[in-house]
Amino acid sequence: MILALVIAMAVALIFFFCSRHFSIHLMSLKLLLDILVVFLAGVRGPGQLGVNFYASAWLLSSLGSMALFALIGTAAKRFAQSRDLNLEGTNE
Amino acid sequence: MGNLKPSFFAVVGLLLADIGVLSLLIASGGMSLGVFLLMGSAIVFSSGTTWLISKEDGRVHFQGAWKAVFVLLFCSGIFLVLQKSGLQLQIAPENLSEVGNILASRYLVGGWILSVVMLMVFVAVGTVAMRKEKS
């Protein structure tokens, strides 16, 4: 299971560093954040209390979501200021 | 199907991977944290798709694929460290009252300071915006 998480992390990092799309950047950042939260909340050694890890996971997920929403807000501001909304639909 | 483009498929694939990761979190006991993150994923996906439809083209532009080598090295290093250290995925139901107690006892003062700083920033930005609007 840890291997699957590491593979998903590699996919998210590759998409983040190698693609040029803002939407792919957003989604890969969210995937990376969620993998880090799952690592923090679920992966621990024997005898370690889960509550401490869950508290840190809540904090990390809140801060990460706030950063993503700030990115979305910046994009929305730029979206609203632009004049070429391309509502005709060709999108090419 | 004709309008669906490769970049949209890439975003949907990332979303599906994200849902898989979060379902793992929910299955391992973190129900409320998983649902919170799922709601965030829905917002990120919808806003990213809006941006994709209106602003970006359908082709996936990959550039600098050599960076994938370093990413794979980094991830294999993380996997080796996790294997050597004996950590494993453990199922533990979350105890929200305990988590709240820990968060409040450790980070309450930090949260107050952060909220005061954010309030001051909002007031300052609002004042500057009003001045610009008047001038």
Side-chain angles (χ1 to χ4, degrees):
Chain A
M1 199 56 78
I2 289 180
L3 178 63
L5 284 176
V6 172
I7 289 173
M9 188 167 75
V11 170
L13 283 173
I14 287 172
F15 267 105
F16 180 74
F17 282 119
C18 299
S19 83
R20 270 179 45 200
H21 288 269
F22 180 68
S23 48
I24 295 178
H25 281 173
L26 271 183
M27 211 56 227
S28 56
L29 270 180
K30 185 73 175 70
L31 178 60
L32 193 63
L33 171 71
D34 291 349
I35 290 168
L36 288 179
V37 168
V38 169
F39 268 130
L40 201 53
V43 179
R44 56 184 172 272
Q48 292 179 318
L49 277 180
V51 178
N52 297 322
F53 292 90
Y54 263 111
S56 307
W58 268 104
L59 206 64
L60 178 69
S61 62
S62 313
L63 288 174
S65 301
M66 194 180 74
L68 278 171
F69 290 161
L71 272 178
I72 292 171
T74 310
K77 187 183 170 194
R78 197 173 158 192
F79 185 82
Q81 284 173 344
S82 62
R83 294 181 181 173
D84 51 339
L85 286 181
N86 191 15
L87 296 177
E88 298 299 323
T90 56
N91 219 1
E92 291 288 343
Chain B
M1 289 293 286
N3 287 330
L4 294 178
K5 303 290 170 53
S7 55
F8 180 69
F9 280 129
V11 175
V12 170
L14 286 171
L15 176 72
L16 289 179
D18 194 25
I19 288 174
V21 169
L22 291 181
S23 61
L24 176 68
L25 177 63
I26 290 174
S28 67
M31 173 63 100
S32 54
L33 183 56
V35 171
F36 171 72
L37 286 171
L38 266 180
M39 288 192 291
S41 297
I43 295 172
V44 168
F45 174 71
S46 52
S47 55
T49 308
T50 307
W51 185 268
L52 176 68
I53 289 172
S54 302
K55 283 288 184 187
E56 292 172 338
D57 57 355
R59 293 177 57 196
V60 177
H61 300 278
F62 257 83
Q63 59 179 11
W66 52 270
K67 285 179 264 185
V69 177
F70 296 102
V71 168
L72 289 177
L73 272 178
F74 175 69
C75 290
S76 58
I78 285 182
F79 180 66
L80 284 179
V81 167
L82 284 175
Q83 264 200 335
K84 293 264 182 187
S85 60
L87 299 176
Q88 52 194 356
L89 201 66
Q90 295 185 7
I91 295 175
E94 61 182 357
N95 188 346
L96 281 181
S97 58
E98 283 289 325
V99 170
N101 281 338
I102 286 180
L103 281 178
S105 60
R106 283 187 190 163
Y107 305 114
L108 188 62
V109 178
W112 284 346
I113 294 172
L114 187 64
S115 57
V116 168
V117 168
M118 287 181 72
L119 179 69
M120 289 168 66
V121 168
F122 274 115
V123 169
V125 170
T127 311
V128 171
M130 289 293 287
R131 275 185 198 162
K132 269 196 172 180
E133 195 174 334
K134 278 182 184 173
S135 64

